[in-house]
Amino acid sequence: MNPAEIRITAEPIDTSRCKFVVSEPVHAGGVRRFASSDDASGSPLAEAIFAIPDADVAEVIVSGNLVTVVKRGPAPWQTVGKAVGQAIRAVVAAAGPAVAPKPAGPATPGTDDDALYERVADLFESQVNPMVARHGGRVELIDVQDAVVMVRMAGGCQGCGMADVTLRQGIEAMLQQHVPDVKGVVDITDHAAGSNPYFAAAKK
Amino acid sequence: MPRQSVPRLLLLLPTATYRTAAFVEAARRLGVELTVASERPSTFQDANPGGLVTLDLSDPDRAAAQARAFGREHPLQGVVGVDDDTAVVAAAIADRLGLRGNAVVAARAARDKHEQRTLLAAAGVPVPRFTLYRVDDDARQLAAGVSYPCVLKPLRLAASRGVIRADTPEAFVAAFERVRRILERAGSEMRDASVSTDLASRIPHPASGSILVEDFVPGPEVALEGLLVAGQLQVLALFDKPDPLDGPYFEETIYVTPSRLPADAQRAVAACAERAAAALGLREGPVHAELRVNSRGPWLIELAARPIGGRCSGALRFEIRERGKGKGEMLSLEEIVIRHALGMELPVLERERQASGVMMIPVPGAGVLREVRGVDAARAVPLVEEVAIVAHPGQELVPWPEGARYPGFIFARGASPEAVETALRAAHRELQFVLV
């Protein structure tokens, strides 16, 4: 594939997080999260992103055609994003897989992501989703990696002005209470595409 | 479980605010316990009773009583309001709970445009000449006694909604009727959005309200972002507004900092804002002031006891100048506001060295948004860091003066204010809003 044919849209979430929507599939095998350059070893895309100079990349999450990058460095996304885009184009255009399959067994000693996934999925089904359904919303559990839960919001939650409150004060708080082994929650929702948010921002 | 040593912040977040993510993430970065208060209940409130609470944000006294009851179970160490209305609620709660904040009377004075001008004029702060009229007054009779050009303003609407310039008696009559209709619509929206019929019945009908008419003050406009600590104003940033705001409507567009005004003019602006805050009795917390500058010096147009609105705070980052702190460590405006409210140590702060700016994307016309084209091209413009489209497909876009929602924001940083302004304009030219 010609790298120039790959279209990438960068959607900065804040100064440290940015989502890249790629026109081609990047990783079809669920979600992969890389929390260090050691984790990235064997996955060409993650290796390339962690190697971007001055970005001080902290995390790379790959799911379908989405690549979410978390950085610690002060360099702006305008600069870092171009380097991420080049890395995505080069790796996706190459013949081999961009990301290695998820390794079997717990990634970190003392944690078991599969067991956590089951407990989180139960919590989402029995409590979280019935709650957000009252506002026409839905929260999908995408994956659990290294005890970090990845979610995608839909319906009334997608693009909602209070989505961050739902994520942090609702979902994360419930996880802390019911599944305390969970270390964090990452929202990979494309909120800009939400067409029916329950609360829409209106005030200056 | 929350540790006793971690302070708890009560964050007043109306459900229609743009400020949610910035404040919630700032609280997380600071590691404080957070309680989010809104006027409508979260579906998670029962599951997280310490982290979520519903307060009657339309009634500061009632909200303060509700907050005090909440605080018995979950002791609060600070309260922050994020907009004009919740700034008054925050003051009432701070007063009731003995927390750091402004006097309620001062917050109310800042909230009401007429009361604000009355106090400022009495204190000798330069403000445009003004008169208050009732909405049911005869506009044709009033038009004969008004000096032109003038500006008509609702007393309490945000984002310059309903603000119209009139240059002639005919234009005044038309503008007066238009503001009256906007007030009626705003009142209906507030009642429709109310949680209960009890609350809705307490919202005054705007037809019984007033319209402020003041002289139009010529000259460029600037916006000052500051923090009051024990009555002393620390200027955090001064933004130029390079697009002339000459009316007839006053939709904001570009803010760029640092200001290109001469240093002595900038000092005069800061002194004017500090005098205004003192005249209103404000002593603590964020202030956002809008001033005009002409040959007679600075004129105070508005001063609000809140941080900058919309998503515009994304244009501000502050470097920590403390020994032992890593190079490049930055604080957001929201982190500064929260630290101050909780009485946490405030490091020596200086806005980052780069110039920075934000464009509130103008409403492209009336209609229902189908899609926005050219976002990738806008993001690719050199110096542009973010293009955030906040209007969603299917949303009705309403131009000023009836409207008050920006469809999005563009952010840029660069070596100079001129370069930043150029980048913002170039990015905006790439955007195409498709309306139906």
Side-chain angles (χ1 to χ4, degrees), chain A residues 45-56:
Chain A
L45 176 59
E47 284 180 8
I49 293 174
F50 271 99
I52 293 171
D54 299 328
D56 195 6

Side-chain angles (χ1 to χ4, degrees), chain A residues 1-123:
Chain A
M1 176 183 290
N2 182 350
E5 293 174 1
I6 299 169
R7 291 175 48 237
I8 302 171
T9 303
E11 297 179 0
I13 300 163
D14 55 29
T15 53
S16 62
R17 295 177 297 167
C18 185
K19 194 179 301 175
F20 298 83
V21 184
V22 187
S23 60
E24 303 295 323
V26 180
H27 177 58
V31 180
R32 284 296 317 268
R33 173 177 172 271
F34 306 91
S36 69
S37 54
D38 289 344
D39 283 355
S41 181
S43 293
L45 176 59
E47 284 180 8
I49 293 174
F50 271 99
I52 293 171
D54 299 328
D56 195 6
V57 171
E59 196 173 338
V60 176
I61 301 161
V62 186
S63 168
N65 66 332
L66 290 178
V67 179
T68 303
V69 179
V70 182
K71 67 175 176 65
R72 289 181 287 252
W77 282 118
Q78 197 259 335
T79 307
V80 177
K82 285 176 181 163
V84 173
Q86 287 170 0
I88 293 172
R89 280 196 178 86
V91 173
V92 171
V99 172
K102 185 178 175 181
T108 307
T111 67
D112 184 336
D113 287 338
D114 291 340
L116 278 182
Y117 186 99
E118 294 301 322
R119 294 171 66 192
V120 174
D122 284 347
L123 182 72

Side-chain angles (χ1 to χ4, degrees), chain B residues 17-168:
Chain B
T17 184
Y18 285 112
R19 318 304 316 283
T20 301
F23 269 104
V24 170
E25 294 305 318
R28 279 169 57 81
R29 282 194 295 274
L30 292 172
V32 305
E33 292 289 343
L34 177 65
T35 299
V36 171
S38 294
E39 81 284 8
R40 301 180 74 175
S42 164
T43 56
F44 286 93
Q45 191 166 311
D46 291 341
N48 184 13
L52 295 159
V53 64
T54 305
L55 301 180
D56 184 350
L57 299 180
S58 71
D59 184 337
D61 291 338
R62 191 174 179 189
Q66 292 168 330
R68 186 164 72 172
F70 175 86
R72 290 192 192 105
E73 287 288 316
H74 307 280
L76 298 164
Q77 281 74 46
V79 58
V80 166
V82 302
D83 64 4
D84 293 320
D85 290 327
T86 52
V88 180
V89 179
I93 293 171
D95 180 59
R96 187 75 63 99
L97 274 66
L99 305 175
R100 178 178 284 191
N102 287 307
V104 178
V105 65
R108 284 189 195 277
R111 177 71 187 94
D112 184 288
K113 290 182 173 70
H114 180 250
E115 193 174 345
Q116 177 173 141
R117 276 161 185 67
T118 303
L119 287 171
L120 296 183
V125 177
V127 292
R129 205 170 37 162
F130 62 94
T131 309
L132 190 67
Y133 298 113
R134 293 177 56 81
V135 291
D136 52 6
D137 283 341
D138 184 338
R140 292 185 188 285
Q141 286 189 353
L142 301 180
V146 171
S147 61
Y148 296 94
C150 66
V151 179
L152 295 82
K153 295 183 173 180
L155 292 186
R156 292 169 63 92
L157 298 185
S160 298
R161 185 182 184 191
V163 179
I164 304 175
R165 170 176 165 165
D167 291 353
T168 65

Side-chain angles (χ1 to χ4, degrees), chain B residues 4 23 37 51-52 110 116 132 142 146 148 153 175 179 234 246 283 287 297 337-338 375 384 406 435:
Chain B
Q4 289 298 313
F23 269 104
L52 295 159
Q116 177 173 141
L132 190 67
L142 301 180
V146 171
Y148 296 94
K153 295 183 173 180
V179 176
Q234 181 179 357
D246 290 334
R283 292 184 55 78
V287 292
V337 170
I338 292 172
V375 175
V384 168
Y406 302 103
L435 307 182

